[in-house]
Amino acid sequence: MGKMLAGVKVTVLGGDAREIILMQELVRLGAEVRVVGYPPLPELKDCLLFKEAGNAVRQADVLILPVPGADERGIIKGTLTGYILRLNEGWVDEVAPGTLVLVGVARPVLKKVAREKGWKLVETAERDEMAILNSIPTAEGAIMMALQEMPVTLHGSEAFVLGLGRTGLTLAHMLAGMGARVTVVDRGAADRARALALGWRAISFEELPTAIGWAQVVFNTVPAPVLTEEVLAAASPQCLIIDLASAPGGTDFAAAQKLGRRAVLAPGLPGKVAPQTAGEILARLYPRFILESLERL
Ligand code: NAP
C-alpha cells in the first residue's frame, strides 16, 4: 500500500492495546501519529506523545477514539495509563470543524458534541467488514465463557443461537464445528432456510417458548427484548444464557434472576479475549476508512 497516509495527521485519544497495533500500522503507512493517554512504549517510538489533548488535536486531520467511544458521562479512557478525558473540557474546541472522527460505537453524548462542533463522526463497528471480522473473536469468547460455565462439553449439547446476523452466523458455524446440536432462532424466513441448508435446526421467535426447554446453552445476538420473562420461564433451570447483544442486551435480566436462570451479558469480547487480533482488525480496516472518508470530505 506504500505510504498511502503520507501527510495525514492522525491523533489517537485514549484506548487500549488494540490501538498500539493500529498506530504502528498508521506510522508504517506514512501518517504523522499523535498520541494521548499512552506510556512511552518502544512500540510507539515513531509517534508523538502528548500530555495535553488540546495540543494533540490541534491541526489533526483525523481523530481516533477508543472502540467503545465515550461512556454515558462523556468520559474517554486510556486504559494502559488510567488516563481520563472528558467531552465537556476545552480540548473539543481545538478540533477543527469537519475533522474526521473514527469511533467503534458512539453514545448519544458523543454524537451531540460531534454535531455541535461539526465533526465528521464515523461509527466503525457497524460497518460490515468490521462486524464480520469482529464476529470471530466474539464467537470464540462466547464459546470460552460457555465452556467455563457448563458442566458438559459443547459437543453433543443443545445450543441455541438467537439472530443469524454477522455474529450469529459465525457463532453457529463454530458451535456446529465443535459438534453441538445447533438451533437457530431468527425472524427471517430466508435466514431460517439458510440455517436449514447448513444442517442446523431453525425456528421463529414465535416457536421459541415451546422449544427453549431443550436448550442447554442460549447465545443471544439480537439487540431487542427476545428473552422475555415468558421465554425464560420456559427454559430449563440448568440452561446457561450468554447475551452478546449491545447493552442492555436482549434478556430480561431481572426476570432471569427472579426465576433462577443463569444469564450473563458479555460485552466487548474482541478486546478482552483477543486484543492482538482485535488490534490487527483495526490496523487492517482503519487506513482504508480514513482514505475513503478524507477523499469524500
Ligand atoms: P447484525 O448482523 O445486525 O445481527 C443482528 C441480528 O438480530 C439479525 O439476525 C437481526 O435480524 C436480528 N434482530 C435485530 N432486531 C431484531 C428484533 N427486533 N427481533 C428479532 N430479531 C432481530 O448484528 P451483529 O453484528 O451480529 O451484532 C449483534 C449484536 O452483538 C449487536 O448488538 C452488536 O453490537 C453486538 N456485538 C457484541 C459483541 C460482544 O463482544 N459482545 C461483539 C460484536 C457485536 P434481521 O437480519 O432480520 O434484522
Side-chain angles (χ1 to χ4, degrees), residues 238-252:
Q238 284 76 43
C239 176
L240 171 68
I241 294 162
I242 298 179
D243 199 331
L244 302 168
S246 51
T251 307
D252 183 340

Side-chain angles (χ1 to χ4, degrees), residues 178-194:
M178 293 177 78
R181 288 197 285 268
V182 174
T183 299
V184 166
V185 187
D186 196 279
R187 64 179 170 184
D191 282 330
R192 294 199 298 274
R194 171 63 59 205

Side-chain angles (χ1 to χ4, degrees), residues 138 163-167 186-187 205 221-224 244-246 266-270:
T138 305
L164 197 65
R166 297 164 297 195
T167 307
D186 196 279
R187 64 179 170 184
F205 282 97
T221 74
V222 176
L244 302 168
S246 51
L269 288 176

